[in-house]
Amino acid sequence: MKKVFVLCVAFALSLTFISNASAQQGKIGIFDEQTVLSLFPGIQQKLDTLMGKFVNDTLKPDYDYTYSQFLVKDSTFKKDSGKLTPQVRKVMLDDINNLKSKIVNWQQYQNQAMEQKQQEILAPYTQKVYDALVKIIQEQKYTYVMKSDAFVIPPPIADNLSLKVAIALKLPLPKEAQDALRNAGISTSTEAAPTKPAAKKN
């Protein structure tokens, strides 16, 4: 199976790719993961609910515990440091500094934890999206897949793989997207056309 690369490139590089692809009769498609994910019904509400629960049930208790441990250990160190060996002093001081660093850099720590949690929540949806994308790329023989911001003038809507993936997954499309696809002669449904009833025999 070919590896699929979603390329985010600067304008100069995008022109180079377009030129080379055209010379080789290659096909270029555009794709944006976030656009497709946003079309899953109820996904934003689910994400907001689970992320809010993660903040309240995991991150907030983590911060409270870290801060309380810092206060306790810092107070103990200041009170008993004179009685400790240099080795024990170093271990305690390293521990305190690690806790202090986590508190000072909490926003960065929290952002990283939330990003990881969001990826975990979205993983089943993302898998479906990329399974459909790979199938479309293979069946329709695309050479390059890039983000739309790699182009000054986007490719035709027929090469918008975000919309093709959404159609393949039977996700509801905005009306303007449906109209644009119909105007380009592209079906917005994956359902088979109804078959005509068989003629009655006399």
Side-chain angles (χ1 to χ4, degrees), residues 68-81:
S68 67
Q69 286 296 297
F70 168 74
L71 293 179
V72 169
K73 293 184 178 184
D74 186 57
S75 176
T76 301
F77 180 78
K78 289 176 179 176
K79 183 176 65 175
D80 298 335
S81 61

Side-chain angles (χ1 to χ4, degrees), residues 174-189:
K175 184 178 183 303
E176 55 271 22
Q178 294 184 39
D179 292 343
L181 287 167
R182 290 194 190 100
N183 290 338
I186 302 170
S187 173
T188 59
S189 173

Side-chain angles (χ1 to χ4, degrees), residues 135-148:
K135 185 176 180 181
I136 290 170
I137 289 171
Q138 291 176 336
E139 290 179 349
Q140 301 182 22
K141 303 186 185 309
Y142 278 90
T143 308
Y144 298 104
V145 180
M146 303 181 185
K147 285 207 169 188
S148 58

Side-chain angles (χ1 to χ4, degrees), residues 114-124 126:
M114 291 182 69
E115 183 177 346
Q116 184 175 352
K117 183 63 177 179
Q118 178 170 303
Q119 290 175 352
E120 178 186 321
I121 295 170
L122 294 177
T126 303

Side-chain angles (χ1 to χ4, degrees), residues 53-119:
K53 181 176 175 60
F54 178 64
V55 170
N56 291 327
D57 295 353
T58 301
L59 292 179
K60 189 176 183 302
D62 187 3
Y63 178 85
D64 291 342
Y65 177 77
T66 301
Y67 187 67
S68 67
Q69 286 296 297
F70 168 74
L71 293 179
V72 169
K73 293 184 178 184
D74 186 57
S75 176
T76 301
F77 180 78
K78 289 176 179 176
K79 183 176 65 175
D80 298 335
S81 61
K83 309 172 188 176
L84 304 173
T85 64
Q87 292 83 355
V88 174
R89 280 172 55 88
K90 183 180 184 309
V91 170
M92 289 186 68
L93 196 57
D94 286 346
D95 192 14
I96 291 168
N97 286 335
N98 287 336
L99 292 169
K100 183 178 180 180
S101 177
K102 184 175 179 179
I103 294 168
V104 170
N105 298 294
W106 179 257
Q107 191 62 52
Q108 180 181 352
Y109 172 82
Q110 177 174 269
N111 289 343
Q112 291 174 344
M114 291 182 69
E115 183 177 346
Q116 184 175 352
K117 183 63 177 179
Q118 178 170 303
Q119 290 175 352

